[in-house]
């Protein structure tokens, strides 16, 4: 009993540690009690305890060393898995960047294609416009020649009549204006002048007012026959048919020196108005051709400028395409290398997966065994000295 009680000593241990000490002490005491009296000596008892301590310490050290090795292996495999996960994440980012670069390259290539197609369309359109412009220009030359031929005969008469009006002396006009009852020839000629100039009142009083205006000769000389209305010309033509003798140069000259130039002016402007009416469709067509020609030239200029912009745009797009293609190729090379590393690492981790699970299980078992053996109660030399008190 002294030996058994000497194996148990209070020392600030937990209840679980006390229980372990109690079990060990009881076990040592039971074994010691069962040997023969000749062997039941203190020296042999202490040797027995020291032997147990040596075996316990050796086993515990082996367990700890094995557990450390297992934990190191598990840690390395865990790190390998983390590295693989990191590589996968990086590879996913690289794939996303690769997709973006490839999309940008495809977009640049598509824009180049569309721009070139549009440029070809503009070139074709410009060639058609040039051809159309040349045709219209030729038509314009033909129309202008026809107009010039029509005007060539009458314009000299207009210039001659206008010059003759400019030579009328003011005294001659004053003489006519001072007449109370002018000759019929003068009334007919002045009626023709007033009607052509758009004055409907052809009374003698209206005629005198017209002749009394300052600069009347200049008004007549600068009058544009294009202002003659069709109704006024028809009325004067009727007057010329009915009173043709009044407009005869000799007859007019006998009536007044100013009447003959005015009569010639009336007849020349009537003829000129006829010609203008005849060539009016030609002039309208000429104006239309000129407008179309100007619009075509402007459009050709815009298309030409647009083609210059196209060349610049295509050059910029090609630079972008080259940049995106080069970057995509670099990313793809890095991605392929990373994928090879990932495949190799995954293969290795997969092969060691069974070892990983087995090592984890062994680590758990080693921890449990260690706890059961030594974490709560260890036999030391002090313990052996305590158990030897009997």
């Amino acid at each position: 009993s002294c030996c058994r009680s000497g194996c148990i000593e209070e020392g600030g241990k937990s209840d679980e540690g006390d229980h372990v000490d109690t079990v060990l002490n009881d076990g040592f005491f039971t074994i010691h009690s069962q040997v023969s009296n000749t062997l039941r000596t203190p020296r042999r008892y202490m040797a027995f305890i020291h032997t147990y301590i040596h075996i316990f310490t050796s086993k515990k050290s082996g367990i700890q060393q094995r557990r450390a090795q297992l934990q190191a292996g598990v840690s390395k495999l865990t790190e390998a898995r983390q590295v693989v996960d990191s590589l996968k994440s990086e590879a996913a980012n690289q794939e996303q960047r690769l997709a973006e670069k490839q999309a940008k390259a495809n977009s640049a290539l598509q824009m180049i294609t569309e721009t070139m197609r549009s440029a070809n369309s503009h070139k074709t359109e410009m060639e058609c416009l040039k051809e159309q412009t040349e045709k219209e220009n030729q038509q314009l030359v033909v129309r202008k020649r026809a107009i010039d031929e029509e005007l060539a005969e009458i314009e000299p008469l207009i210039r001659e009549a206008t010059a003759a009006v400019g030579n009328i002396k003011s005294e001659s006009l004053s003489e006519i204006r001072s007449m109370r009852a002018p000759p019929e020839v003068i009334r007919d000629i002045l009626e023709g002048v007033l009607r052509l100039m758009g004055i409907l009142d052809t009374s003698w009083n209206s005629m005198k007012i017209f002749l009394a205006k300052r600069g009347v000769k200049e008004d007549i000389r600068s009058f544009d026959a294009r202002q003659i209305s069709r109704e006024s010309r028809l009325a004067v033509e009727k007057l010329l048919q009915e009173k043709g003798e009044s407009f005869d140069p000799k007859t007019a000259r006998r009536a007044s020196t100013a009447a003959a130039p005015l009569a010639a002016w009336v007849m020349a402007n009537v003829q000129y108005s006829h010609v203008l009416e005849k060539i009016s469709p030609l002039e309208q067509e000429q104006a239309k051709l000129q407008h179309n020609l100007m619009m075509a030239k402007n459009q050709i200029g815009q298309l030409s400028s647009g083609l210059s912009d196209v060349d610049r745009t295509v050059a910029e797009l090609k630079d972008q395409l080259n940049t995106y293609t080069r970057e995509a190729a670099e990313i793809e090379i890095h991605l392929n290398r990373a994928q090879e590393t990932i495949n190799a690492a995954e293969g290795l981790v997969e092969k060691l997966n069974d070892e990983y699970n087995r090592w984890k299980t062994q680590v758990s078992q080693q921890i449990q065994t260690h706890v059961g053996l030594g974490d709560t109660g260890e036999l030391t030399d002090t313990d052996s000295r305590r158990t030897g008190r009997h």
Side-chain angles (χ1 to χ4, degrees):
S1 63
C2 177
C3 181
R4 180 177 180 179
S5 62
C7 292
I8 302 173
E9 184 175 282
E10 298 294 332
K13 294 183 179 179
S14 63
D15 293 341
E16 185 178 356
D18 292 342
H19 173 70
V20 172
D21 285 344
T22 302
V23 171
L24 288 174
N25 290 331
D26 290 345
F28 292 150
F29 180 76
T30 301
I31 293 172
H32 180 70
S33 301
Q34 291 177 356
V35 298
S36 62
N37 293 329
T38 59
L39 298 177
R40 196 185 304 168
T41 65
R43 184 176 62 81
R44 289 184 179 276
Y45 183 70
M46 294 302 297
F48 167 63
I49 293 174
H50 283 298
T51 301
Y52 173 82
I53 292 173
H54 175 72
I55 295 172
F56 176 85
T57 304
S58 176
K59 291 293 184 180
K60 181 178 179 181
S61 176
I63 291 173
Q64 288 177 336
Q65 184 176 3
R66 177 60 177 166
R67 184 178 68 179
Q69 292 174 349
L70 291 174
Q71 286 179 336
V74 171
S75 177
K76 291 297 182 181
L77 288 177
T78 301
E79 290 178 2
R81 288 187 173 186
Q82 292 174 349
V83 170
V84 170
D85 292 339
S86 177
L87 289 174
K88 284 184 176 180
S89 177
E90 180 64 22
N93 294 333
Q94 293 290 335
E95 287 179 352
Q96 183 177 358
R97 288 184 58 201
L98 176 61
E100 292 175 356
K101 296 298 182 181
Q102 289 176 341
K104 289 181 178 179
N106 293 335
S107 176
L109 181 60
Q110 183 177 359
M111 290 181 66
I112 290 175
T113 303
E114 293 177 354
T115 303
M116 294 299 295
R117 186 185 300 116
S118 176
N120 292 332
S121 176
H122 286 169
K123 287 181 180 179
T124 303
E125 184 180 357
M126 189 169 67
E127 293 298 329
C128 292
L129 282 173
K130 286 182 177 179
E131 183 179 354
Q132 180 183 351
T133 301
E134 291 176 359
K135 291 181 179 179
E136 291 183 347
N137 196 27
Q138 293 174 359
Q139 294 176 1
L140 184 62
V141 171
V142 174
R143 294 295 182 271
K144 189 175 185 303
R145 185 182 301 117
I147 292 172
D148 292 340
E149 290 175 356
E150 292 288 344
L151 295 176
E153 297 180 2
I154 189 61
E155 284 183 340
L157 296 177
I158 287 291
R159 287 195 295 269
E160 183 179 350
T162 301
V165 170
N167 293 329
I168 297 175
K169 296 180 179 180
S170 299
E171 293 80 3
S172 299
L173 294 177
S174 298
E175 181 184 354
I176 294 173
R177 192 174 66 249
S178 63
M179 294 179 182
R180 291 186 177 181
E184 186 175 354
V185 173
I186 292 178
R187 289 179 64 93
D188 293 339
I189 293 173
L190 288 176
E191 181 180 351
V193 172
L194 266 62
R195 285 189 178 276
L196 289 179
M197 296 185 73
I199 301 174
L200 301 180
D201 186 0
T202 57
S203 64
W204 175 241
N205 186 53
S206 175
M207 294 176 182
K208 289 196 295 182
I209 293 174
F210 174 74
L211 293 174
K213 286 197 310 181
R214 179 178 296 180
V216 64
K217 288 194 304 179
E218 186 60 31
D219 289 345
I220 296 173
R221 288 180 66 251
S222 61
F223 180 74
D224 186 1
R226 298 179 186 277
Q227 299 179 10
I228 300 174
S229 65
R230 179 178 176 80
E231 291 77 11
S232 296
R233 194 191 75 240
L234 291 176
V236 175
E237 285 179 345
K238 182 179 179 181
L239 178 64
L240 290 172
Q241 290 175 359
E242 294 176 354
K243 303 293 184 67
E245 294 180 0
S246 299
F247 293 88
D248 181 72
K250 293 180 181 180
T251 304
R253 196 176 297 111
R254 281 196 300 268
S256 171
T257 55
L262 293 175
W265 182 87
V266 170
M267 289 188 294
N269 275 278
V270 169
Q271 294 179 33
Y272 193 35
S273 178
H274 258 299
V275 173
L276 291 176
E277 184 178 35
K278 180 180 179 181
I279 67 174
S280 177
L282 294 177
E283 290 181 329
Q284 292 176 0
E285 187 175 356
Q286 181 188 32
K288 182 179 179 181
L289 288 173
Q290 287 178 336
H291 176 73
N292 292 341
L293 184 61
M294 182 182 66
M295 294 294 293
K297 287 182 177 179
N298 291 337
Q299 195 168 358
I300 289 174
Q302 293 175 357
L303 289 174
S304 178
S305 176
L307 289 177
S308 299
D309 294 338
V310 164
D311 293 338
R312 183 171 60 256
T313 301
V314 169
E316 293 175 355
L317 289 174
K318 285 183 178 179
D319 290 341
Q320 293 180 7
L321 177 61
N322 292 334
T323 300
Y324 293 144
T325 302
R326 183 178 65 255
E327 292 177 350
E330 293 175 355
I331 293 174
E332 189 171 10
I333 291 173
H334 295 160
L335 182 60
N336 290 336
R337 292 176 180 173
Q339 194 61 49
E340 291 176 0
T341 303
I342 290 172
N343 293 337
E346 280 188 327
L348 180 60
V349 170
E350 184 65 26
K351 290 179 181 179
L352 296 176
N353 187 55
D354 293 341
E355 290 293 325
Y356 176 77
N357 293 329
R358 185 166 59 83
W359 290 353
K360 285 183 64 176
T361 301
Q362 290 180 1
V363 167
S364 299
Q365 293 174 351
Q366 293 286 349
I367 292 174
Q368 293 176 359
T369 301
H370 187 112
V371 170
L373 290 178
D375 280 348
T376 57
E378 294 184 2
L379 280 177
T380 63
D381 291 339
T382 302
D383 293 325
S384 66
R385 286 194 297 272
R386 289 208 314 268
T387 56
R389 298 172 187 169
H390 60 281

